[in-house]
Amino acid sequence: MNALKWVGIVLAGLLLLLVLLGALLGGRPGQDGRRAAEGGPARPGEASVGVLPQSELARPAAIKVSAVRLHQDYEANEAAADDIYKSEQLEVTGSVASIEKDPFDNTIVWLRTMDDFIHVQARMGESAAAQAKSLRKGQKVVLSCLGGTRILGSPTIEDCALSL
């Protein structure tokens, strides 16, 4: 029983130490690098002088890539392609292979690649679904999308809209 008591005391001491350490590190101004990088105040209630709001900061340029190149990059090395494209803003050019609906009623535009059986799957955003209905097979398009990954051999891009 005496050993069990000491184990409890040691665990309680470690827990207290972790809580104190967290309070000390979490309370430093500028410690939260993400908030500082986003242009927001270091702590709630602090004013930021000369810093633009997040909505006014310059957004990074979209990665411009063709559907053919996107497919080739995923074929060559899926892990490396994910590092380049996944969750990035993309501007994808290509030729429409087909326009379909998925089981969840999302509008999908398939873009041709050099492979006759595998195309790039572009899931259109809700506001762009109506635009996609005006497309025709073979039409050249430029889509502004968020990079996805590869599903069953097909590279995917999400929340797409037609670029004008």
Side-chain angles (χ1 to χ4, degrees):
M1 188 66 168
N2 200 15
L4 188 59
K5 181 175 144 183
W6 279 107
V7 169
I9 291 172
V10 168
L11 288 176
L14 285 173
L15 182 62
L16 181 62
L17 182 63
L18 287 173
V19 169
L20 289 172
L21 189 59
L24 288 173
L25 293 177
R28 288 186 188 164
Q31 184 70 21
D32 185 355
R34 195 176 76 213
R35 267 192 249 146
E38 290 173 354
R43 283 192 256 173
E46 283 185 1
S48 294
V49 179
V51 178
L52 292 174
Q54 180 68 21
S55 61
E56 294 180 27
L57 292 175
R59 292 196 171 119
I63 298 170
K64 295 181 181 191
V65 63
S66 70
V68 170
R69 181 61 189 213
L70 191 64
H71 175 257
Q72 288 172 339
D73 288 350
Y74 271 97
E75 279 294 305
N77 185 332
E78 182 175 351
D82 264 356
D83 285 348
I84 296 168
Y85 302 115
K86 190 173 184 179
S87 300
E88 295 293 333
Q89 191 62 40
L90 306 177
E91 188 175 290
V92 182
T93 56
S95 178
V96 175
S98 66
I99 304 101
E100 302 173 3
K101 291 276 197 161
D102 71 6
F104 304 104
D105 208 33
N106 296 311
T107 302
I108 307 294
V109 174
W110 292 91
L111 300 176
R112 293 189 190 283
T113 65
M114 298 303 285
D115 187 316
D116 289 336
F117 301 103
I118 296 178
H119 302 297
V120 173
Q121 181 188 51
R123 189 169 63 90
M124 302 303 286
E126 288 181 30
S127 60
Q131 292 176 314
K133 292 175 185 174
S134 69
L135 299 175
R136 300 286 175 246
K137 287 183 180 181
Q139 184 177 348
K140 303 276 189 224
V141 294
V142 178
L143 301 177
S144 177
C145 308
L146 189 62
T149 188
R150 188 163 85 156
I151 300 174
L152 299 175
S154 293
T156 63
I157 48 182
E158 309 288 329
D159 198 24
C160 296
L162 285 168
S163 291
L164 302 175

